[in-house]
């Protein structure tokens, strides 16, 4: 239950920060007439080149880390689906990762407008929903919970543990999307506070719900045997 509360907290703070960034850059009376089109442009006005460089550096680290995570997921999942067992056929698995990166990820990364990714994004969200439904339907929740003394006993023993703040860091990273706030907001046909609020509320709420279902069902199904790299 501590993880559930942390997830809700991070989702609320993420939604608030996304709206705050665009509100300041696009609708604040002292800034709305200035050419602020990116996160680093916004940081440049109060903090100068130091602030702009700091934001750019952190955006690079975030994007690089996300890229590595995606490549690891691709290397762990796609070859397995194609019949190459984990821990074997290393050459084939690496070639599949490289081919997937060059054929799919690289072309998508070279798009100049986020709006052009609407179809692939819809496909990605659909795949996420299928994954969440699959885990929720087939995770051995009932058997595992009963074997550990029932739901009340599980809550009592696994409510809070020493990895609480590690989980906070992981959730914050998983929800981090501030670096793309301006890209998404600038892709709106009619950018208003109300429309931007609707976009952030709907997207963050959907993400939080999917994470919540996946996390709770996955954990109750496997408890202490749940692995951190299982997505």
């Amino acid at each position: 239950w501590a993880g559930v509360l942390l997830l809700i907290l991070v989702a609320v703070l993420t939604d608030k920060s996304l709206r705050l960034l665009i509100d300041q850059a696009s609708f604040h009376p002292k800034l709305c007439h200035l050419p602020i089109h990116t996160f680093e442009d916004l940081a440049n006005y109060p903090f100068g080149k130091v602030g702009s460089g700091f934001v750019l550096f952190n955006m690079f680290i975030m994007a690089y880390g996300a890229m590595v995570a995606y490549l690891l997921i691709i290397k762990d999942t796609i070859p397995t689906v194609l019949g190459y067992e984990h821990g074997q056929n290393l050459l084939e698995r690496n070639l599949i990762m490289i081919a997937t990166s060059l054929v799919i990820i690289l072309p998508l990364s070279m798009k100049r407008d986020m709006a052009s990714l609407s179809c692939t994004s819809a496909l990605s969200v659909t795949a996420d929903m299928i994954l969440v439904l699959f885990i929720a339907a087939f995770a051995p929740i009932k058997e595992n919970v009963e074997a550990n003394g029932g739901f009340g006993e599980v809550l009592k023993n696994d409510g809070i543990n020493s990895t609480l703040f590690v989980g906070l860091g992981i959730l914050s990273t998983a929800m981090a999307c501030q670096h793309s706030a301006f890209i998404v907001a600038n892709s709106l046909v009619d950018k208003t506070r109300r429309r931007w609020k609707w976009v952030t509320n709907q997207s963050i709420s959907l993400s939080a719900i999917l994470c919540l279902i996946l996390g709770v069902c996955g954990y109750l199904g496997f408890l202490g045997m749940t692995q951190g790299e299982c997505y």
Side-chain angles (χ1 to χ4, degrees), residues 13 22 41 44 65 67 78 107 109 112 118 142 150-151 182 184 200 207-208 213 221:
L13 293 178
I22 302 304
D41 288 343
N44 183 67
M67 178 189 68
I78 294 182
S109 301
R112 298 181 63 87
S118 58
K142 183 178 179 181
F151 188 68
F182 286 87
V184 177
T200 59
S207 298
I213 296 173

Side-chain angles (χ1 to χ4, degrees), residues 42-71:
L42 181 61
N44 183 67
Y45 278 94
F47 302 112
K49 291 184 177 180
V50 174
S52 178
F54 178 78
V55 168
L56 282 172
F57 175 76
N58 282 278
M59 288 173 65
F60 169 78
I61 295 297
M62 177 64 197
Y64 183 80
M67 178 189 68
V68 172
Y70 278 124
L71 291 178

Side-chain angles (χ1 to χ4, degrees), residues 145-163:
V145 170
E146 289 180 353
N148 284 271
F151 188 68
E153 196 67 21
V154 170
L155 285 180
K156 176 183 175 182
N157 295 331
D158 295 342
I160 299 179
N161 55 49
S162 59
T163 61

Side-chain angles (χ1 to χ4, degrees), residues 4-19:
V4 172
L5 294 179
L6 283 181
L7 176 59
I8 295 173
L9 173 64
V10 171
V12 171
L13 293 178
T14 301
D15 179 75
K16 176 65 176 178
S17 65
L18 290 172
R19 288 190 282 115

Side-chain angles (χ1 to χ4, degrees), residues 148-186:
N148 284 271
F151 188 68
E153 196 67 21
V154 170
L155 285 180
K156 176 183 175 182
N157 295 331
D158 295 342
I160 299 179
N161 55 49
S162 59
T163 61
L164 176 65
F165 290 102
V166 176
L168 177 61
I170 294 172
L171 288 172
S172 299
T173 303
M175 284 284 184
C177 52
Q178 291 81 357
H179 55 289
S180 60
F182 286 87
I183 300 175
V184 177
N186 292 334

Side-chain angles (χ1 to χ4, degrees), residues 184-203:
V184 177
N186 292 334
S187 70
L188 295 177
V189 176
D190 180 22
K191 185 171 64 174
T192 62
R193 275 181 171 158
R194 183 177 180 179
R195 295 199 70 188
W196 178 240
K197 181 180 179 180
W198 187 89
V199 169
T200 59
N201 284 345
Q202 297 300 316
S203 57

